[in-house]
Amino acid sequence: GATGYGLSLSARRSGDFSVDEEALWGGSLVAKELVSRGDEVEYLRYFDFGRSLRRGQTHDFAVRSWVEHDPDPDSEIVFSVNLPTDVATIHVNFSGPDKPNAVWHFGPVADGDPDQGDGGAGPVSMGVAGNVRFDVVDPVPGARYGVAWRW
C-alpha cells in the first residue's frame, strides 16, 4: 500500500536553512513543511508516486535536493528505509573551492546508535569536481546508512 516517499532534512542552529528540490521522474513533490524545534530546523517533504503499490510491486523514482549557502553545514547525510528497497543512492556534490579532507560511508547501523564519525565502513572517493556517490543494494529496513565528511 505504499503511495509515496517521505524526505526529512534538518539543520542545527540555523535560521537561514532552506531546501530546493525537483522531481526527476516517477511522481511529484507535495506537502512541504518547515518545522522549527529549539535550535533545529527540519524540512519535511512528501513525494507522491501517483498510485498505490500492491504487495510485491516496485516503483522507480528520483528526487534531487540541495541546500545552498547553509551557514552551519552538517558533516553527514543519513538515510533509512522502512519498506523493502532494491537500491538507494546518496549523491553529494561539494560545489565551490572548499572540499572536505576526508569522505567515508557507513551502515548498516541500528537506528538510535550515536554518530558514526570515523567509524564508517570505508572511504569514498571524490571526483575532481567534488562529486561523491554511495550505492546501497538491498538496504536493511530500519537500519541507517550514510556518507560523512571532515573539513
Side-chain angles (χ1 to χ4, degrees), residues 8-150:
S8 170
L9 300 172
S10 63
R12 290 181 180 82
R13 300 176 304 279
S14 174
D16 299 330
F17 181 68
S18 66
V19 179
D20 291 317
E21 285 186 290
E22 66 178 317
L24 298 178
W25 68 81
S28 59
L29 290 162
V30 295
K32 172 182 170 180
E33 184 178 357
L34 197 60
V35 179
S36 295
R37 285 193 275 287
D39 67 345
E40 184 172 299
V41 177
E42 186 172 13
Y43 175 86
L44 306 169
R45 186 62 165 246
Y46 183 76
F47 185 86
D48 185 12
F49 295 157
R51 64 187 179 112
S52 181
L53 302 179
R54 294 188 310 270
R55 183 186 269 312
Q57 279 188 312
T58 63
H59 185 76
D60 292 333
F61 67 98
V63 178
R64 180 178 11 219
S65 307
W66 61 95
V67 177
E68 294 188 39
H69 309 295
D70 187 351
D72 187 21
D74 206 343
S75 62
E76 68 181 10
I77 295 175
V78 179
F79 79 87
S80 64
V81 297
N82 58 8
L83 294 171
T85 303
D86 291 335
V87 178
T89 302
I90 296 176
H91 293 271
V92 184
N93 299 321
F94 294 98
S95 301
D98 296 331
K99 306 288 187 253
N101 292 322
V103 181
W104 62 93
H105 66 83
F106 60 87
V109 176
D111 194 21
D113 279 2
D115 291 339
Q116 300 313 299
D118 288 351
V124 177
S125 61
M126 183 183 317
V128 175
N131 303 323
V132 171
R133 177 183 173 139
F134 174 48
D135 296 314
V136 180
V137 177
D138 296 325
V140 176
R144 296 182 332 145
Y145 298 83
V147 170
W149 58 92
R150 181 176 47 248

